[in-house]
């Protein structure tokens, strides 16, 4: 079937709508994991029919928003210099990771509430592998513990990062203290 001149414009409009919807979902759900699809459609400047034309369910939309946040996070994390001493590299990785988690904690809460078990973990595969590689390097350097499985240590860092975000949202951990608390907690787990 031949493309019509209007067809490419419609596709471009659809891509712009998708980008606006995903951006609005990320923004609204970063502060309120219970933001409705109506709220998101309104913030994106589209109608509900347009939103549902691209995302059949709220879960589909939340997954797209989480994937977009992870893609943006991957751009940040992949540019980090993780060379040298594994402890120093871990401190740099944790500082950047904390900023990303703090931005997206409520979105993550929304995703955990609607996505199938294991999907959120699956979507975090790249950052988890980066962390695992750094932990293994630290073990080879003799600065990180070797008595626990690397997969467990990676999971512990994940739990601490997300636990800290929950504590900040609940008002039990001051935001200005969180990065330091996260780094100290994770370093104590890795070096005990």
């Amino acid at each position: 079937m031949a493309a019509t001149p209007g067809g490419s414009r419609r596709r471009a409009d659809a891509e712009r709508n998708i980008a606006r919807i995903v951006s609005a979902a990320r923004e609204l759900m970063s502060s309120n994991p219970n933001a409705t699809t109506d709220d998101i459609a309104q913030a994106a400047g589209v109608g509900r029919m347009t939103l549902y034309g691209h995302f059949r369910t709220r879960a589909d939309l939340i997954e797209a928003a989480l994937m977009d946040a992870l893609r943006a996070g991957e751009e940040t994390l992949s540019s980090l210099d993780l060379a040298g001493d594994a402890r120093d590299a871990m401190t740099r990785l944790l500082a950047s990771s904390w900023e990303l988690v703090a931005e997206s904690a409520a979105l993550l809460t929304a995703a955990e509430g609607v996505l199938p078990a294991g999907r959120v973990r699956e979507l975090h595969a790249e950052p988890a592998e980066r962390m695992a590689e750094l932990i293994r390097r630290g073990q080879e350097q003799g600065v990180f513990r070797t008595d626990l499985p690397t997969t467990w240590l990676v999971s512990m860092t994940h739990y601490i990062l997300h636990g800290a975000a929950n504590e900040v949202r609940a008002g039990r951990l001051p935001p200005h203290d969180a990065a330091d608390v996260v780094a100290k907690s994770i370093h104590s787990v890795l070096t005990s």
Side-chain angles (χ1 to χ4, degrees), residues 1-182:
M1 175 184 243
T4 62
S8 64
R9 189 178 78 228
R10 276 190 294 259
R11 282 193 295 276
D13 288 346
E15 291 301 318
R16 280 192 296 275
N17 283 341
I18 291 168
R20 288 194 339 244
I21 293 166
V22 169
S23 177
R26 277 186 63 188
E27 184 177 330
L28 289 178
M29 289 187 183
S30 288
S31 60
N32 177 11
N34 298 314
T36 67
T37 53
D38 286 346
D39 296 336
I40 294 165
Q42 184 177 11
V46 301
R48 287 182 59 201
M49 292 298 288
T50 299
L51 185 145
Y52 282 113
H54 297 297
F55 303 98
R56 287 186 12 240
T57 66
R58 185 171 185 273
D60 291 343
L61 175 56
I62 291 171
E63 182 170 347
L66 181 61
M67 289 174 66
D68 190 62
L70 288 166
R71 180 203 45 76
E74 184 57 29
E75 287 176 15
T76 299
L77 295 177
S78 67
S79 68
L80 280 176
D81 175 14
L82 298 180
D85 181 80
R87 289 171 296 202
D88 296 336
M90 181 61 72
T91 298
R92 292 189 297 276
L93 180 57
L94 291 173
S96 288
S97 295
W98 169 249
E99 289 176 23
L100 297 169
V101 168
E103 284 175 17
S104 301
L107 174 58
L108 180 64
T109 298
E112 289 171 338
V114 298
L115 296 181
R119 181 65 178 142
V120 171
R121 186 175 205 80
E122 185 181 307
L123 292 171
H124 282 84
E126 279 187 69
E129 183 53 33
R130 177 179 294 104
M131 182 71 66
E133 288 174 13
L134 183 53
I135 289 171
R136 284 190 291 270
R137 195 174 90 225
Q139 290 169 330
E140 290 167 6
Q141 291 175 357
V143 296
F144 292 156
R145 67 189 312 156
T146 58
D147 62 326
L148 295 173
T150 301
T151 54
W152 175 248
L153 295 172
V154 170
S155 292
M156 289 301 299
T157 62
H158 177 84
Y159 299 142
I160 291 170
L161 282 162
H162 294 284
N166 290 336
E167 290 298 298
V168 167
R169 270 203 347 264
R172 293 184 294 261
L173 178 62
H176 62 274
D177 292 342
D180 189 50
V181 167
V182 164

